[in-house]
Amino acid sequence: MQERAARTRQAVLEAAADEFAERGYEGASLQRMVWRAATSIGALTFHFGNKTALAEEVSAAGHARFESCLEDLAAAPDPLRELRTLIGALARLAHEDTFVRATRRLEADRPGEVPPSSEVWLPVLRGLLDRAHDAQRLRPGVSPQDAVALLAHLAEGAMAAHGETRDSAWDAVWDSVWNVVLHGLAADRTGQADQTGQTDQTGQADQEGQTGRTDAPDATESTTSTDLTECGAEPA
């Protein structure tokens, strides 16, 4: 009996996630949830009470999916490479996981009532940028705070785009965007001079006289070398 009740509860929760992801909070229908779950209104209200309680449960499940994915991400020696892995993982999750899509839709529909999912992943992103700053991997003049603002918007955009579609054309655009971002963020580790003739922190100009080039990790191998793990993440 308990096993059957647990199956019914999970079926209702999954049906609610589908409904919220597709229609938002106001548009979601308890009757459609019941139909999706092949159960009754009585069973739904027995397990969850009302639509507000269901939204809270779905949101909690979505946050748990984010946390699980972040825990599974493989660490990389270079924090900038790990940042790309992180954003790719978030985008992939938003594309593939109904609970994550539902959570993002609910937090947009009910600001202040549903905790934002950024509470889960933003501290990880901020920590990686602090690591990059401490390791002198950020370009001089780029503060971790400014980089956090940039990459948080990039992550949100990647999740929003992948929540709708995912194809090879979008992947190619993503790789180009990420290369541009790295060019703006990453310090020049080879001592190449920038376009104004200034050198990097080592004070060494490019011996071949080339200017304006940045040694950004993953810039030329972003689609093949990123280490992505069991949360299903891959280059977004």
Side-chain angles (χ1 to χ4, degrees), residues 85-132:
T85 303
L86 169 64
I87 296 176
L90 296 175
R92 178 67 176 266
L93 201 62
H95 175 69
E96 293 187 343
D97 195 297
T98 303
F99 281 92
V100 169
R101 292 198 305 275
T103 297
R104 288 175 50 77
R105 182 71 183 266
L106 286 169
E107 67 188 56
D109 288 355
R110 309 181 72 211
E113 297 183 47
V114 175
S117 54
S118 59
E119 289 184 353
V120 180
W121 57 263
L122 191 57
V124 179
L125 185 149
R126 186 178 291 113
L128 288 173
L129 282 166
D130 286 340
R131 274 181 51 201

Side-chain angles (χ1 to χ4, degrees), residues 195-214:
Q195 292 178 350
T196 64
Q198 297 175 337
T199 58
D200 70 358
Q201 289 178 321
T202 65
Q204 297 172 337
D206 185 348
Q207 294 179 352
E208 296 179 358
Q210 295 176 342
T211 61
R213 296 171 55 190
T214 302

Side-chain angles (χ1 to χ4, degrees), residues 149-185:
L150 170 66
L151 292 182
H153 281 87
L154 183 63
E156 289 286 357
M159 284 189 282
H162 273 19
E164 300 296 328
T165 184
R166 180 184 177 87
D167 54 34
S168 58
W170 206 99
D171 288 344
V173 171
W174 163 254
D175 289 329
S176 297
V177 168
W178 182 251
N179 291 342
V180 170
V181 170
L182 281 181
H183 184 82
L185 288 179

Side-chain angles (χ1 to χ4, degrees), residues 26-149:
E26 294 299 331
S29 161
L30 295 183
Q31 190 59 54
R32 276 193 299 268
M33 294 178 194
V34 167
W35 177 81
R36 287 175 184 264
T39 188
S40 65
I41 284 288
L44 183 151
T45 55
F46 173 78
H47 287 288
F48 297 101
N50 53 40
K51 188 161 74 170
T52 298
L54 262 171
E56 291 172 353
E57 288 280 350
V58 168
S59 177
H63 281 71
R65 303 292 179 94
F66 273 114
E67 290 170 354
S68 177
C69 183
L70 295 176
E71 289 171 0
D72 288 341
L73 286 178
D78 187 339
L80 294 183
R81 167 182 269 184
E82 198 167 339
L83 279 165
R84 187 188 192 282
T85 303
L86 169 64
I87 296 176
L90 296 175
R92 178 67 176 266
L93 201 62
H95 175 69
E96 293 187 343
D97 195 297
T98 303
F99 281 92
V100 169
R101 292 198 305 275
T103 297
R104 288 175 50 77
R105 182 71 183 266
L106 286 169
E107 67 188 56
D109 288 355
R110 309 181 72 211
E113 297 183 47
V114 175
S117 54
S118 59
E119 289 184 353
V120 180
W121 57 263
L122 191 57
V124 179
L125 185 149
R126 186 178 291 113
L128 288 173
L129 282 166
D130 286 340
R131 274 181 51 201
H133 180 262
D134 292 343
Q136 298 185 331
R137 290 295 293 116
L138 294 182
R139 183 184 294 275
V142 175
S143 71
Q145 293 78 14
D146 291 341
V148 166

